[in-house]
Amino acid sequence: MESLKNYIYMDMVGIDSLLSQITSELVETSHIQTTSRKAGNANGSIGFSEVVKKIFKADVSVSGEMESVQTIDKTTTQPYEAKIQQIIQYVEKCEVVLKNRAEIHKNYQEDKQNFVLLTMPFDTDFYHNDWFKTVDLANQCGYIPFYKGGDATNKFKDIYQYDDSYYKTMALKKIKLTMNLSIKKMEPLGGFSSHLATLFRVTKGTNIRLGVFGHVYKLTESVYQIKPYAVWRG
């Protein structure tokens, strides 16, 4: 069963753009027909059908119940949570989907659309002891940057370690991920007791575990940038 997600960010325009490329069923329209009856009578000429009208018409008098029919068009929009799941199901079948830092480093394909669907801890420099300073800074910038920094300070402790797994581990530790969340697309920052305020205060801006669905782009050999479509609490 799919676990419930606490979304803190949604790029609704981007989600609709992706979904429109895989399906035209962005909205569902249904027709509701209601019938009501009431007492009354009618006099006049009643045509039974277009064909019959050409042959004859009947002058009748009707008494008793009169019937009226009303048709209502009802349009419903698919929730964004459902849209996200529909897109994810499609890209898992048809596109490149990378689910952790190791897969990004190993399986990124230059000539394909690369998506990420992962849960991992991120850091941000936007944490302050004063939440209201954080909100002011976010409003000025328009976004909050998140990243998973590579460990560029790690030195070779043993120059005689030549096995492949050792060097692969070292390369992975240098991989950097960056991700910017527009505050217009985020859950409202709110006051000091809001969910995001609590999240930032408890984590002090580090090791914030987030689930992410989005495109990933390779900027350099060791730096990748995520364009998020949806982010949730991991």
Side-chain angles (χ1 to χ4, degrees):
M1 180 180 293
E2 184 72 27
S3 60
L4 296 177
K5 295 179 175 61
N6 180 7
Y7 290 96
I8 65 172
Y9 175 96
M10 280 191 191
D11 179 359
M12 296 182 180
V13 174
I15 291 168
D16 280 340
S17 176
L18 287 178
L19 190 58
S20 67
Q21 296 176 58
I22 63 176
T23 179
S24 60
E25 297 177 0
L26 290 178
V27 295
E28 299 174 354
T29 302
S30 57
H31 300 282
I32 303 171
Q33 182 172 294
T34 61
T35 302
S36 61
R37 290 182 173 87
K38 61 181 180 178
N41 60 75
N43 294 303
S45 177
I46 299 178
F48 290 100
S49 71
E50 290 301 320
V51 175
V52 175
K53 283 179 180 178
K54 294 179 181 180
I55 302 174
F56 66 92
K57 288 186 178 180
D59 291 326
V60 297
S61 176
V62 179
S63 63
E65 291 185 338
M66 295 186 66
E67 181 178 289
S68 64
V69 177
Q70 182 182 21
T71 300
I72 302 172
D73 288 337
K74 181 183 178 182
T75 302
T76 57
T77 303
Q78 188 177 5
Y80 276 91
E81 291 81 359
K83 292 180 182 181
I84 293 167
Q85 293 307 314
Q86 188 174 349
I87 295 169
I88 288 175
Q89 289 173 6
Y90 175 84
V91 300
E92 286 186 313
K93 293 179 180 178
C94 305
E95 305 288 350
V96 178
V97 182
L98 308 169
K99 296 192 175 183
N100 53 53
R101 289 178 74 193
E103 287 192 10
I104 292 174
H105 177 56
K106 180 181 178 182
N107 299 328
Y108 185 91
Q109 298 185 36
E110 298 280 359
D111 58 340
K112 297 286 185 67
Q113 288 198 75
N114 293 265
F115 289 84
V116 290
L117 178 60
L118 51 80
T119 300
M120 61 180 288
F122 286 85
D123 299 334
T124 180
D125 293 327
F126 260 51
Y127 170 75
H128 296 282
N129 289 329
D130 188 336
W131 172 246
F132 297 103
K133 287 184 179 179
T134 301
V135 174
D136 288 341
L137 186 58
N139 285 327
Q140 290 176 33
C141 295
Y143 65 91
I144 297 179
F146 289 84
Y147 61 90
K148 186 59 180 176
D151 187 359
T153 63
N154 223 337
K155 304 298 182 181
F156 290 97
K157 296 180 179 179
D158 186 347
I159 61 173
Y160 298 105
Q161 297 185 48
Y162 291 112
D163 60 284
D164 288 343
S165 61
Y166 177 78
Y167 289 112
K168 288 178 181 178
T169 300
M170 292 301 297
L172 177 59
K173 286 184 177 181
K174 293 181 180 179
I175 297 301
K176 297 181 180 180
L177 296 179
T178 65
M179 178 176 68
N180 296 329
L181 300 189
S182 168
I183 61 172
K184 291 182 179 179
K185 301 172 185 177
M186 289 184 70
E187 171 188 324
L189 296 178
F192 193 70
S193 61
S194 70
H195 294 298
L196 285 180
T198 302
L199 173 65
F200 276 71
R201 187 166 64 251
V202 170
T203 62
K204 294 182 171 59
T206 61
N207 290 321
I208 304 172
R209 192 165 179 80
L210 299 174
V212 179
F213 170 67
H215 268 112
V216 62
Y217 303 94
K218 187 176 184 179
L219 303 182
T220 70
E221 276 304 311
S222 59
V223 180
Y224 297 81
Q225 183 171 23
I226 298 173
K227 171 185 167 38
Y229 290 107
V231 178
W232 56 93
R233 292 283 301 273

